[in-house]
Amino acid sequence: VVLRPNRGAVVASPTIEEARQIVFARRIVEKAVTELVIDNAEDGQIDKLKQLVQEEQECFSRGDRGAGIRLSGEFHLQMAEMAQNPPLLSFQRSLVSQCSLIIAQFESGAKSHCSYDEHFELIDAIKKRDKSKAVRLMMHHLDHVEKKLSLDDDSASDDLKAVFSNVRSKK
């Protein structure tokens, strides 16, 4: 939501250039988060990541795209918490919400969503404490997400309500 003087609150609708800038910023933060997760992750946290990805997979399998996108974002936020760096977590919260909006708005419907497979591979690298592989997988994952975005025109999805409705509160 964006607050505009004399106009009130409106649903944010990033431009293509803003979307590109947000995706770029997300790459920088995700790399740092991934490196720190390898150093700081505990087994219970890794199990929580697996649970989130299983829920994400179930949502996409039953066609609930909005919930799947939301859970994918929660996966990345959980990783940021595991990194144990409050400033990065704050940046990540902002970037994940903006990226969820961008995905809902600009993701090409013709391309399949398979981030949960990439998330499972990333979890495996985290569990093995393989920092270089984990970073490589995260960058590949972000490449894949970006390639599915139609940032050539102003086509926008009507699925924004599904992405942001019923958002889980942090426990």
Side-chain angles (χ1 to χ4, degrees):
V1 175
V2 176
L3 298 176
R4 294 195 176 147
N6 301 320
R7 290 184 59 196
V10 295
V11 174
S13 182
T15 66
I16 290 172
E17 184 57 31
E18 289 168 334
R20 288 184 183 126
Q21 292 171 2
I22 291 164
V23 170
F24 177 81
R26 175 106 181 248
R27 285 180 180 283
I28 304 302
V29 171
E30 290 281 11
K31 181 180 185 296
V33 163
T34 302
E35 290 173 346
L36 289 170
V37 165
I38 297 298
D39 296 336
N40 298 313
E42 298 172 8
D43 290 342
Q45 293 172 313
I46 296 170
D47 292 340
K48 186 172 180 179
L49 281 179
K50 284 183 185 178
Q51 179 63 37
L52 282 171
V53 177
Q54 288 167 345
E55 291 175 25
E56 175 192 3
Q57 184 178 23
E58 291 168 10
C59 288
F60 283 114
S61 294
R62 71 174 180 263
D64 190 349
R65 181 174 175 262
I69 292 170
R70 218 174 27 259
L71 286 167
S72 178
E74 287 185 35
F75 170 85
H76 290 272
L77 290 176
Q78 177 63 32
M79 282 190 57
E81 286 182 23
M82 292 165 63
Q84 298 179 21
N85 183 304
L88 281 177
L89 175 58
S90 178
F91 295 147
Q92 186 73 314
R93 279 190 181 122
S94 175
L95 291 169
V96 165
S97 65
Q98 292 176 75
C99 282
S100 295
L101 175 62
I102 289 165
I103 289 167
Q105 190 174 0
F106 293 107
E107 187 175 56
S108 171
K111 298 177 184 171
S112 66
H113 196 288
C114 58
S115 68
Y116 51 81
D117 291 332
E118 294 166 357
H119 286 168
F120 279 128
E121 291 174 10
L122 184 56
I123 291 169
D124 187 54
I126 292 168
K127 193 167 193 158
K128 292 177 180 173
R129 308 293 182 190
D130 188 337
K131 190 180 286 190
S132 63
K133 182 175 183 179
V135 169
R136 188 174 65 251
L137 287 169
M138 179 59 80
M139 294 302 104
H140 172 76
H141 172 57
L142 294 174
D143 286 342
H144 186 227
V145 170
E146 188 173 2
K147 286 177 185 170
K148 292 189 297 181
L149 299 176
S150 297
L151 297 178
D152 300 331
D153 56 39
D154 287 319
S155 61
S157 171
D158 61 358
D159 202 17
L160 300 179
K161 181 179 178 187
V163 171
F164 294 107
S165 64
N166 299 318
V167 174
R168 291 182 179 178
S169 61
K170 183 180 173 189
K171 295 180 182 173

